[in-house]
Amino acid sequence: MHLLVTGAAGFIGSQYARMLLAPGRMETAADVSHVTVLDKLTYAGRLDNLDVADPRLTFVQGDICDPEVVDRVMAQADQVVHFAAESHVDRSITGADDFVRTNVSGTQTLLDAALRHAVDRFVHVSTDEVYGSIETGSFTETDALGPNSPYAASKASSDLIALSYHRTHGLDVRVTRCCNNYGPRQFPEKVIPLFVTRLLDGGQVPLYGDGENVRDWLHVEDHCRGVDLTRIGGAAGEIYNISGGTELTNLQLTELLLKACGSSWDQVRHVEDRKGHDRRYSVDDSKARTELGYRPRRDFEAGLAETVGWYRDNRAWWEQLGRGATT
Ligand code: NAD
C-alpha cells in the first residue's frame, strides 16, 4: 500500500514517517510498503528529519496548494495522511495569509485530487484548538467548534471542508483532533523547545501573562500511534479526539523545564499575554479509546526528560535555526 504523507519534514509528520518505516515499526503500519512525502520545506520543514536514503521513501518538495504537484503525487497514492500546515499560533497573529492559504486552500487542493484519483482513505490531522477554550470538563467530537486564533480558525475551516468531501462526495475522510505534542525535532518557537534551547544556553525565557493557561500534553509518538489507529480502524466521516491526560499550567510546565535544565526562576521573564490567549484546551478521547483502542503509552516525566536530553545532545539540529517567535 502506497501512503502519501504531507508535511512529513516537520515535527509530527517526520516522527510518523519514521514510525511507519523503522525496523520495529508500529504494529498498525504493516500494510505500508511505500511512503511518499510531499513537503514544501518551509522554515518548519527539514529534510534531515527524514531518512531519505530509505528506498521505501520518496521525498517530493512541493506545495500542497499547487494542483500540478498534488495531482502527480496523488496519482501514486492509495491512502493519504495530511499533516502539512502552518502550525504556530503566534505567527498566525502577526500574519494569517499563509495560514488560510496552506491550511484551508491547500487542504481543499489535496481533497480534490484525492477524489479525482479515488484514494481509499484520507486522514486529516487537526487540533484540539478548533473547539476553543473550556473552563472545566472536556470537549467531545459532537461539540460545536469555537476557534479563537487565526491558526485555530484555519484548522477548523479545513476540518469542515474535509468533512464536506465525505458528506458531499462520499470520500473516506477521517479527522483527528489532538492536544499539544512534545518530543524531539519540534521547531524551537513552540514553548517546550523554545524554553529548553534557551535554558540550555543559559538565557532567559518568556512566560506569557499570569502563566495559568492550561494545556494537555502528549508525546509525539503517542499522537502518531493515534493517527495510524485512525487510518487503520477509524470509520469514514468520523472525528476522533486524541488527548494526553497530562494537564499543566504554563507555570507548572516552566517549573518542570527549569528543573530538567538545571535552571532557576531568575531566567524567567514575564511578558505581556498573547492576544486572545485561550485559557484551557481539553478534549475527551473516550471515542478513540473505545473504538480504536487508543491509549497514550509514554509517561510524561520520562518523555520530557528524554526530550530535554535530545535537545542537549543535538545542538547542531537547533543552533542553526532562527528561534524566538514567542518572545
Ligand atoms: P510543523 O510546523 O512542525 O510542520 C509542518 C510541516 O508542513 C513542515 O514540514 C512544513 O514544511 C510543511 N508545510 C507547511 N506549509 C506547506 C505547504 N503549503 N505545502 C507543503 N508542505 C507544507 O507542524 P507540526 O507541529 O508537525 O504539526 C503537524 C500537524 O499536526 C499540523 O496540521 C498541526 O495543525 C497538527 N497538530 C499539531 C499539534 C502540535 O502540538 N504541534 C497538535 C495537534 C495537531
Side-chain angles (χ1 to χ4, degrees):
M1 194 276 290
H2 190 137
L3 185 62
L4 171 62
V5 186
T6 70
F11 166 48
I12 305 172
S14 68
Q15 179 70 45
Y16 180 66
R18 282 191 302 279
M19 287 169 75
L20 287 174
L21 297 174
R25 64 184 180 172
M26 74 199 129
E27 51 277 27
T28 47
D31 62 329
V32 178
S33 53
H34 198 89
V35 174
T36 291
V37 171
L38 175 63
D39 197 295
K40 188 178 173 183
L41 296 181
T42 68
Y43 78 94
R46 306 233 340 218
L47 208 47
D48 64 4
N49 284 342
L50 292 166
D51 179 7
V52 286
D54 189 327
R56 296 166 303 163
L57 186 133
T58 303
F59 178 80
V60 177
Q61 183 170 4
D63 189 334
I64 59 166
C65 302
D66 175 351
E68 276 177 33
V69 70
V70 166
D71 193 75
R72 184 155 49 85
V73 292
M74 199 64 77
Q76 313 290 320
D78 299 305
Q79 299 181 1
V80 181
V81 176
H82 172 36
F83 290 96
E86 286 293 335
S87 68
H88 189 45
V89 173
D90 287 344
R91 287 180 189 258
S92 80
I93 293 168
T94 52
D97 289 14
D98 283 347
F99 287 75
V100 174
R101 190 181 159 278
T102 287
N103 300 0
V104 186
S105 298
T107 299
Q108 182 255 321
T109 303
L110 287 167
L111 289 161
D112 267 347
L115 196 58
R116 218 167 28 248
H117 291 285
V119 302
D120 183 40
R121 61 194 71 164
F122 187 111
V123 180
H124 174 66
V125 178
S126 189
T127 162
D128 60 359
E129 301 193 27
V130 297
Y131 295 111
S133 192
I134 187 165
E135 260 180 50
T136 54
S138 303
F139 288 114
T140 68
E141 290 84 352
T142 53
D143 280 312
L145 303 185
N148 292 313
S149 70
Y151 162 67
S154 68
K155 291 296 290 187
S157 308
S158 64
D159 288 19
L160 295 178
I161 296 209
L163 290 166
S164 80
Y165 272 66
H166 170 66
R167 291 189 195 115
T168 307
H169 300 293
L171 186 67
D172 181 337
V173 172
R174 304 149 188 218
V175 175
T176 61
R177 292 182 179 150
C178 187
C179 62
N180 275 34
N181 285 212
Y182 72 96
R185 295 185 178 81
Q186 188 171 28
F187 194 86
E189 62 185 354
K190 308 277 169 54
V191 63
I192 290 181
L194 175 74
F195 277 30
V196 170
T197 53
R198 289 210 178 166
L199 293 172
L200 291 177
D201 271 350
Q204 296 251 309
V205 295
L207 183 64
Y208 275 142
D210 62 7
E212 293 291 349
N213 303 69
V214 175
R215 298 293 181 265
D216 176 21
W217 291 96
L218 180 69
H219 194 280
V220 63
E221 283 176 19
D222 282 323
H223 183 190
C224 292
R225 283 193 196 95
V227 167
D228 216 47
L229 283 166
T230 303
R231 181 182 68 78
I232 287 291
E238 293 296 319
I239 301 164
Y240 300 92
N241 288 341
I242 299 176
S243 100
T246 304
E247 281 196 24
L248 295 171
T249 65
N250 284 341
L251 280 168
Q252 290 169 321
L253 178 67
T254 302
E255 174 72 33
L256 290 174
L257 293 174
L258 290 173
K259 219 186 265 173
C261 296
S263 310
S264 76
W265 278 97
D266 299 342
Q267 284 169 264
V268 180
R269 190 163 44 88
H270 288 268
V271 297
E272 194 182 329
D273 209 354
R274 168 190 276 167
K275 281 187 190 173
H277 203 173
D278 281 332
R279 201 63 171 168
R280 176 173 174 265
Y281 297 129
S282 181
V283 289
D284 178 339
D285 63 4
S286 316
K287 180 175 169 183
R289 285 174 187 254
T290 315
E291 296 182 17
L292 306 177
Y294 165 74
R295 300 260 176 301
R297 293 186 188 169
R298 300 296 306 266
D299 171 73
F300 180 75
E301 275 190 35
L304 193 67
E306 190 190 290
T307 300
V308 171
W310 187 88
Y311 283 96
R312 190 177 277 125
D313 296 343
N314 290 277
R315 277 182 165 271
W317 187 92
W318 53 269
E319 273 180 340
Q320 58 185 296
L321 300 172
R323 274 178 286 152
T326 306
T327 52

